[in-house]
Amino acid sequence: MTTESRDATIYDPNRGQVDLNRKFPEEKKLWNEDLHPTPLARRNWGSLTFFAIWVGMAVQIPTWTMGSLGLFFGLNWSTTIILMLLGNAITLVPLLIQSHGGARYGVAEPQLTRVRWGIYGAYFPSLLRAFVATGWWGIQSYIMTEAAVGIFLVFSGQTGVVLNAINHGSATPFTMALLFPQLFWTTFAVAIVAQIALLYFSPPTKSQPALKWFIRIAAPVTFIGLVYIFSHFMGMTHWNFTPITQIPLKVEGHAYWIAVLGFLNANVGLWITMALSMPDYTRFAKSQFSQTVGQLPMPLIMLGIGVLGVLTAGATIVLFKQPIWDPVLLATVYLPAMAKVPVLLGILGLTFSVNILANTVAPAYDFANTYPKYITWFRGVLITVAIALVLGAWTFYGNAYSFLFNWLLTYGALLGAVEGVIIFDYAIIRRFKFELADIFMSTGRFRYWGGVNPAAVIAFLATAAILFGKYPGSDLIFANSWVSSFLIGGAIYVVLMAVWIIPKYQPYLKGNLVKGYIADEVKEMFNEVSFMYNPSLVIMTSASI
């Protein structure tokens, strides 16, 4: 940390948070107002807000459908539920570590990533995350449209057309789009405009107030619809769980392990982009306690919705001899007339909130990070929408195999290596401490080799070669996509940092792999007793880490 950057850094030991008292307008490629650390006074999101975020995101259609995917791939109900819980518990670990960085330093994911990948090398993982998020944006917008079209069909008395298609074997998320293409794609366009409008009136420089209140309103309302669908179909079976629990395990041997590992990692992959993206939200956290307590229930929330999906899919097998894994179809066709519209409105609301939170805000930061001089956060939103429409990832959603293997596991294998680098660097190499000001400085300590950290690049490429290579046992490695990629990429990165990068590019870092590598000035900042001056704030720090 240079004298300039040290003097610009403020540490509040009571909150355990770091801030900057200067801006970097001269660094046009690395800084703008949207990317600057959130001032301490504006870090005001408490535990309830983060809990509501996860309720609003977990109570969603892909969470529900994951259960039926387990049955589709031949797993029984108990194995499906155990793997859903385990997958989300695994996701929680990198999620909380990555969230810590956002809450401590007040910056979004792209700026944190500069520490690990270099000030310019960070463009690659951030853009990779952004492209995955834009794919999810398209999928969620498609689900939102499906729910809206379902409401129209209920009011216009055309649900019988959908029922007839289901009876003839067309029970997929593509059913409504194929039956009513003009209506469907017009509604799709309206959904796009509505999402853009909400984000226009909820900028990050104001801690996104409209978004925060939308979360609090939508989260409890959207839960009701899925619970009602579950209750209705279990009622049709007279609440007899026995036939569902007797649905047998249909895979064994090598196929069993492919199904188990694939389904486990698909559950990890469902939220692993959000685990990477959480600093975009925890940059507004009041404290580490707030963001941690608010997010700890995530696996249980996911499990609760997943269990409803598993049991409802099982009930449809008992009732209709086939799993109907799309709750929009179930609500549109099979629910009582008075319940259809409220339930579909609930699905529409929850999908809207999830898409805003998980798939629009984060990639907008990523695109803004590529050229801050011209790309504001809201312009990043517009780029997100444009790429999502070109990518058209909703085409994966209509087929269970394609959705799991070609979508969830493929991007999980790529992001696992990225997150291995990020998490191993922050937790093992740096022990949660780094030079905040330098992430905005083109000649700072995270320049590495021309702005790129070679260790991160090599770790990613080597891991990708292993995951996507063809050799004996490669199918199991790929089925275990995120976990394999995360561990392999992280291990390669740590070795390269210790034996090559730190000695050559960051010799000011002191320590080892047991104690971590921390610059003397950074260690002093987190431990010393001193006064640090800000034009509008004087903070006295006391001995604290």
Side-chain angles (χ1 to χ4, degrees):
M1 184 183 291
T2 63
T3 301
E4 179 186 13
S5 62
R6 176 65 180 85
D7 292 343
T9 307
I10 302 168
Y11 175 59
D12 183 343
N14 296 319
R15 298 174 59 158
Q17 294 178 314
V18 180
D19 197 2
L20 290 178
N21 65 5
R22 63 151 292 188
K23 299 180 180 181
F24 300 86
E26 70 279 6
E27 298 285 0
K28 299 184 185 302
K29 294 183 178 180
L30 299 174
W31 181 91
N32 68 20
E33 290 287 351
D34 291 342
L35 306 184
H36 190 79
T38 304
L40 293 177
R42 291 185 179 174
R43 300 187 199 181
N44 53 22
W45 287 23
S47 297
L48 182 60
T49 297
F50 289 102
F51 177 76
I53 286 174
W54 277 111
V55 171
M57 290 192 297
V59 184
Q60 59 147 332
I61 304 307
T63 306
W64 174 282
T65 57
M66 285 303 294
S68 58
L69 284 179
L71 298 179
F72 179 89
F73 281 99
L75 303 175
N76 59 22
W77 73 279
S78 59
T79 303
T80 297
I81 290 172
I82 291 170
L83 291 175
M84 292 186 75
L85 177 60
L86 181 58
N88 285 286
I90 291 172
T91 304
L92 186 64
V93 176
L95 186 152
L96 290 178
I97 293 174
Q98 180 75 331
S99 294
H100 183 282
R104 168 164 279 185
Y105 296 99
V107 292
E109 178 275 328
Q111 289 71 60
L112 281 177
T113 300
R114 293 173 185 174
V115 176
R116 299 90 178 220
W117 286 75
I119 52 173
Y120 303 130
Y123 292 155
F124 171 72
S126 292
L127 289 175
L128 178 60
R129 175 192 78 153
F131 274 92
V132 173
T134 61
W136 272 112
W137 188 94
I139 291 172
Q140 296 284 16
S141 295
Y142 186 93
I143 294 171
M144 189 189 317
T145 302
E146 195 185 7
V149 170
I151 293 172
F152 177 84
L153 296 179
V154 171
F155 280 121
S156 62
Q158 299 182 69
T159 58
V161 178
V162 182
L163 177 60
N164 182 62
I166 293 174
N167 290 336
H168 285 82
S170 179
T172 76
F174 292 156
T175 300
M176 291 186 188
L178 293 173
L179 292 173
F180 308 97
Q182 185 173 355
L183 170 65
F184 192 93
W185 297 112
T186 300
T187 307
F188 188 73
V190 173
I192 293 171
V193 173
Q195 292 174 88
I196 292 173
L198 176 64
L199 288 163
Y200 179 79
F201 292 105
S202 189
T205 53
K206 297 182 179 180
S207 298
Q208 299 180 311
L211 178 58
K212 182 166 67 173
W213 284 107
F214 186 84
I215 296 166
R216 292 178 176 177
I217 294 170
V221 174
T222 56
F223 180 70
I224 298 172
L226 295 181
V227 171
Y228 183 83
I229 293 175
F230 162 75
S231 300
H232 176 75
F233 283 94
M234 289 308 303
M236 292 177 66
T237 67
H238 306 289
W239 292 92
N240 182 6
F241 292 90
T242 301
I244 299 172
T245 60
Q246 291 179 344
I247 295 173
L249 184 68
K250 298 178 181 179
V251 286
E252 58 184 17
H254 188 76
Y256 170 80
W257 289 110
I258 293 292
V260 166
L261 292 175
F263 188 67
L264 171 66
N265 281 267
N267 277 277
V268 177
L270 189 64
W271 283 122
I272 208 60
T273 51
M274 198 62 197
L276 186 60
S277 303
M278 277 309 297
D280 301 348
Y281 305 99
T282 59
R283 67 182 301 204
F284 304 123
K286 291 179 180 179
S287 64
Q288 295 292 355
F289 179 85
S290 296
Q291 65 91 3
T292 301
V293 171
Q295 296 191 88
L296 277 176
M298 182 275 284
L300 296 179
I301 299 171
M302 292 291 294
L303 179 65
I305 303 305
V307 168
L308 297 182
V310 171
L311 296 176
T312 304
T316 63
I317 293 174
V318 173
L319 294 168
F320 311 122
K321 310 306 178 185
Q322 63 172 323
I324 302 177
W325 54 283
D326 184 358
V328 176
L329 289 181
L330 292 176
T332 302
V333 175
Y334 294 107
L335 292 188
M338 294 296 293
K340 290 180 178 180
V341 171
V343 169
L344 288 169
L345 281 172
I347 292 174
L348 180 61
L350 76 90
T351 307
F352 190 94
S353 64
V354 168
N355 216 27
I356 295 294
L357 285 167
N359 308 317
T360 317
V361 173
Y365 279 119
D366 292 326
F367 294 125
N369 183 59
T370 60
Y371 206 173
K373 180 180 178 180
Y374 293 111
I375 304 178
T376 63
W377 175 80
F378 183 70
R379 288 176 181 173
V381 170
L382 299 180
I383 294 172
T384 297
V385 174
I387 293 176
L389 294 176
V390 173
L391 190 59
W394 55 84
T395 57
F396 293 112
Y397 182 62
N399 179 276
Y401 182 90
S402 179
F403 182 55
L404 195 148
F405 282 92
N406 297 339
W407 177 242
L408 292 170
L409 296 189
T410 297
Y411 80 65
L414 294 172
L415 286 181
V418 168
E419 289 168 311
V421 168
I422 287 173
I423 299 304
F424 278 59
D425 181 276
Y426 189 55
I428 295 177
I429 298 292
R430 303 183 194 279
R431 294 299 199 272
F432 310 99
K433 300 178 179 69
F434 63 80
E435 301 86 338
L436 178 59
D438 286 74
I439 67 177
F440 300 106
M441 302 170 70
S442 57
T443 58
R445 289 184 165 180
F446 303 116
R447 185 170 180 82
Y448 296 104
W449 180 69
V452 177
N453 183 355
V457 176
I458 293 171
F460 175 83
L461 293 176
T463 304
I466 294 171
L467 266 292
F468 292 96
K470 298 298 181 183
Y471 47 86
S474 62
D475 55 346
L476 286 173
I477 297 294
F478 180 78
N480 197 38
S481 66
W482 186 87
V483 173
S484 297
S485 183
F486 178 79
L487 295 176
I488 294 170
I492 294 173
Y493 177 80
V494 166
V495 171
L496 291 175
M497 287 294 291
V499 303
W500 175 29
I501 300 300
I502 290 176
K504 182 174 180 62
Y505 295 103
Q506 296 183 326
Y508 56 86
L509 293 178
K510 309 297 182 183
N512 52 53
L513 289 178
V514 175
K515 297 181 179 180
Y517 295 86
I518 306 170
D520 290 338
E521 312 94 287
V522 175
K523 188 179 295 184
E524 290 173 6
M525 184 186 75
F526 280 95
N527 289 279
E528 69 182 356
V529 178
S530 64
F531 284 91
M532 290 174 290
Y533 178 75
N534 180 312
S536 61
L537 177 67
V538 175
I539 300 176
M540 181 177 181
T541 65
S542 59
S544 175
I545 295 180

